[in-house]
Amino acid sequence: MQNRKGEDFLKLKDLIENIDVLETNVGDFDKDITDIAYNSKNAKEGSAFVCIKGFKTDGHEYIDEAIQNGARLIVVDEFFDTSKIKGKIDYIKTSNTRKALAVMSANFFAHPSKDFLLIGVTGTNGKTSTTFMIKSILEAHGQKVGLIGTIKNMIGSKEIEAQHTTPESYDLQKLFWQMRNEGVDSVVMEVSSHSLELFRVYASDFDVGVFTNLTQDHLDFHGTMENYFSAKLKLFGMSKKRVINADDSWGKRIIEMYPDCMTYAKDSNATVCARNIKLYVNKNQFDLWYNDKKEEILLNIPGLFSIYNSLAAAACCILLGIELDTIKKGLEELKAVPGRFEIVESNEKFTVVIDYAHTPDGLLNLMRTVNEVADGRKVLLFGCGGDRDRAKRPIMGEIAGRMADFVIVTSDNPRTEDPLKIIADILEGIKKTNVEYVVIPDRYEAIKYAIKNARENDFIVLAGKGHETYQILKDRTIPFDEREVVKNILKELRE
């Protein structure tokens, strides 16, 4: 693997430039380092191994394995007893190995994000759709665009499967390097709160940071909403320019901190706004306003939340100097975002829609959209993920009970938790309402029940899985693409 100037190595002194060195036994800083590993299994001859404390394992426990695999340098954190490795190999002690990994990775790949326009989108909801919209606008502007996010990574039209919303810092810098080598002009990426807190995007050169909204999620990781907000806020300290949702209460706080930012909102005092909004089952119409300029937009993605996402994308691209007619072209050419209010094509007299909504605010916005466009009963099928924020479960249950006519409570990705205990948490909220509901833990059977008992004009909403093509159970991950599930069930019921 070649990096700077086509070389297959980097001098150690260049690799560790700008990292915090607290202690070292390195004698020769001119020696060559061939690669970086944060998993001991990936260490190879001449590489540097950076010890990362994960949620389940600690890289410091695998130093010997990394050495056996050929590591030439070990990077440890300030609390590690270096007497355990003295005499075995060169080491560097640093205050934060996650931060060191990010800086070293950027150094190794010659800071690729400096060679293209980098846009980061953060927020609880809307990140995926907003990045797809920005990509479409930039492509309408004639750019070759890289995309990094929840659904997939892309270089132009070439797809690369995504493992995390935001990759680990080494993998991210390697992906940037690959994108630069393939001639991208700009990269738009989702930036999760985890990635900001864990320094995955540290040492990346952000030209624009975009904020969509902040609502309850990931409190199992962050603990409080203030901590969650503080993590998101880091992106805007790293960005040269900022685009902020002025209708969001947390967004208002960011605007106070960065008064020179670009703002967007619906029908309010912001730089970019939407007026004359018309919502339909499979599209939206609205007037996009920027100062005294207006463009009529026909958006192929329904829902008020989609208008907010398009405003975020438009504001970002206006900030980059793109004209409104190009923004209109880019927004209107985007036909859909996988798993975001995605209507399953069928010849039935009812409608089935798949959506990724998995937070209280996401579910509320989804059902508000359904209420705007549905003629018949609103049937909502959903669950909550295991090993994640428990506090949101009864909240989502209450929202479901208030917003739907009939609720089917089922499993999402239960992971290592008992699905029935997750469902019990959801029912605490549902029981505060008068909605009729049924519990069917097996998601396939739950979807089958919804379709088998559908009435004419029913609007069946499958929430939580969206673009995912799998289900994570306690002991295995199984294929589970809801588009295919729905089609198979319809075929089965017709036979």
Side-chain angles (χ1 to χ4, degrees):
M1 176 179 56
Q2 296 180 333
N3 47 52
R4 307 155 62 109
K5 300 177 183 177
E7 296 170 339
D8 294 313
F9 59 86
L10 188 63
K11 297 291 184 186
L12 176 55
K13 63 183 178 184
D14 296 321
L15 182 71
I16 64 170
E17 186 177 353
N18 294 324
I19 77 164
D20 182 22
V21 179
L22 302 178
E23 176 190 326
T24 183
N25 68 340
V26 174
D28 178 15
F29 286 94
D30 280 320
K31 67 181 176 181
D32 299 331
I33 300 296
T34 58
D35 203 354
I36 304 168
Y38 59 89
N39 183 325
S40 57
K41 290 181 172 56
N42 296 332
K44 63 183 184 183
E45 191 63 38
S47 63
F49 175 60
V50 184
C51 303
I52 300 294
K53 286 185 178 177
F55 299 111
K56 296 179 180 178
T57 59
D58 182 351
H60 294 84
E61 297 174 4
Y62 297 89
I63 289 173
D64 287 341
E65 182 179 6
I67 294 171
Q68 288 169 12
N69 287 338
R72 187 171 289 175
L73 175 77
I74 305 294
V75 181
V76 299
D77 72 21
E78 61 182 317
F79 302 107
F80 184 75
D81 180 6
T82 52
S83 66
K84 295 178 181 179
I85 56 175
K86 278 182 179 174
K88 291 183 180 180
I89 195 172
D90 285 354
Y91 69 84
I92 288 174
K93 178 181 280 193
T94 185
S95 56
N96 187 314
T97 54
R98 286 189 177 275
K99 189 184 289 188
L101 177 63
V103 174
M104 291 167 64
S105 299
N107 288 342
F108 188 79
F109 292 107
H111 298 274
S113 62
K114 292 182 182 294
D115 294 331
F116 47 68
L117 186 71
L118 180 59
I119 300 160
V121 180
T122 198
T124 306
N125 300 307
K127 295 188 295 296
T128 299
S129 295
T130 302
T131 55
F132 270 77
M133 289 173 177
I134 293 172
K135 181 177 187 287
S136 186
I137 295 169
L138 291 173
E139 288 174 339
H141 189 57
Q143 297 197 10
K144 184 174 182 179
V145 185
L147 177 79
I148 301 173
T150 306
I151 298 176
K152 56 190 172 186
N153 300 328
M154 300 181 72
I155 300 176
S157 58
K158 183 173 72 175
E159 295 186 12
I160 308 166
E161 186 179 351
Q163 299 297 325
H164 302 283
T165 300
T166 314
E168 187 55 78
S169 58
Y170 171 83
D171 303 308
L172 178 64
Q173 295 298 329
K174 185 176 180 180
L175 186 54
F176 284 162
W177 169 79
Q178 183 182 353
M179 289 178 168
R180 179 186 63 189
N181 289 353
E182 295 197 26
V184 302
D185 304 299
S186 51
V187 173
V188 57
M189 65 179 294
E190 297 181 47
V191 182
S192 68
S193 56
H194 289 71
S195 72
L196 288 158
E197 197 67 25
L198 299 174
F199 297 97
R200 289 177 185 164
V201 295
Y202 191 77
S204 299
D205 195 56
F206 286 98
D207 293 281
V208 184
V210 180
F211 176 79
T212 59
N213 50 61
L214 194 76
T215 60
Q216 183 174 331
D217 198 16
H218 303 306
L219 296 193
D220 54 310
F221 179 77
H222 296 289
T224 67
M225 285 298 291
E226 280 295 333
N227 291 344
Y228 185 25
F229 176 63
S230 294
K232 295 288 190 188
L233 200 57
K234 290 179 181 180
L235 176 63
F236 305 102
M238 298 169 64
S239 302
K240 299 181 184 74
K241 297 179 180 180
R242 303 155 194 90
V243 174
I244 310 297
N245 180 356
D247 279 344
D248 185 89
S249 59
W250 299 93
K252 288 182 172 69
R253 288 175 58 177
I254 303 175
I255 293 167
E256 289 175 3
M257 297 176 200
Y258 299 101
D260 62 340
C261 66
M262 172 77 82
T263 60
Y264 68 93
K266 180 181 79 72
D267 295 328
S268 76
N269 187 24
T271 318
V272 178
C273 62
R275 295 177 188 146
N276 195 25
I277 294 170
K278 296 175 183 176
L279 304 177
Y280 302 98
V281 173
N282 57 356
K283 64 183 178 182
N284 290 320
Q285 281 183 287
F286 66 96
D287 294 337
L288 173 66
W289 282 87
Y290 167 58
N291 292 334
D292 58 348
K293 299 176 183 177
K294 180 189 84 166
E295 280 287 352
E296 294 180 8
I297 306 293
L298 177 62
L299 195 65
N300 295 303
I301 308 166
L304 182 60
F305 54 86
S306 296
I307 293 177
Y308 269 104
N309 296 336
S310 64
L311 290 175
C316 173
C317 293
I318 288 169
L319 196 58
L320 297 172
I322 299 175
E323 297 295 330
L324 284 191
D325 58 346
T326 303
I327 290 170
K328 170 184 170 69
K329 184 173 185 286
L331 288 175
E332 294 187 347
E333 284 182 346
L334 184 64
K335 299 306 178 189
V337 177
R340 272 56 177 180
F341 211 90
E342 184 178 346
I343 295 173
V344 181
E345 295 294 332
S346 75
N347 296 318
E348 303 299 327
K349 294 180 179 180
F350 52 85
T351 301
V352 180
V353 65
I354 295 170
D355 195 273
Y356 189 52
H358 62 285
T359 67
D361 188 63
L363 192 64
L364 180 61
N365 286 328
L366 170 63
M367 294 309 296
R368 280 175 176 165
T369 297
V370 172
N371 283 332
E372 289 277 353
V373 300
D375 293 326
R377 287 192 313 162
K378 297 171 287 291
V379 179
L380 172 61
L381 180 150
F382 83 107
C384 288
D387 302 334
R388 298 294 186 268
D389 181 12
R390 284 189 61 187
K392 72 181 182 182
R393 295 171 186 171
I395 300 171
M396 291 177 69
E398 188 170 2
I399 290 168
R402 283 193 290 110
M403 302 296 288
D405 297 313
F406 185 78
V407 179
I408 302 170
V409 186
T410 186
S411 292
D412 191 287
N413 291 318
R415 299 183 177 88
T416 65
E417 275 195 78
D418 181 348
L420 295 181
K421 289 184 178 178
I422 298 172
I423 289 170
D425 289 339
I426 295 170
L427 293 181
E428 287 179 23
I430 285 184
K431 289 175 179 176
K432 293 178 181 178
T433 72
N434 296 317
V435 75
E436 185 181 353
Y437 70 90
V438 64
V439 173
I440 305 174
D442 184 302
R443 195 171 179 102
Y444 185 94
E445 292 301 322
I447 295 172
K448 186 174 180 179
Y449 176 91
I451 292 173
K452 189 175 182 179
N453 292 280
R455 303 173 189 171
E456 188 170 341
N457 293 326
D458 272 3
F459 210 98
I460 301 170
V461 182
L462 311 182
K465 299 289 291 170
H467 62 277
E468 293 178 352
T469 57
Y470 54 83
Q471 188 176 28
I472 307 172
L473 308 178
K474 183 176 183 178
D475 55 349
R476 67 195 189 281
T477 298
I478 62 172
F480 202 91
D481 183 335
E482 289 194 331
R483 298 154 205 74
E484 296 303 317
V485 167
V486 171
K487 290 174 184 175
N488 289 341
I489 289 170
L490 286 171
K491 182 181 179 183
E492 182 183 335
L493 293 176
R494 289 189 197 111
E495 292 175 348

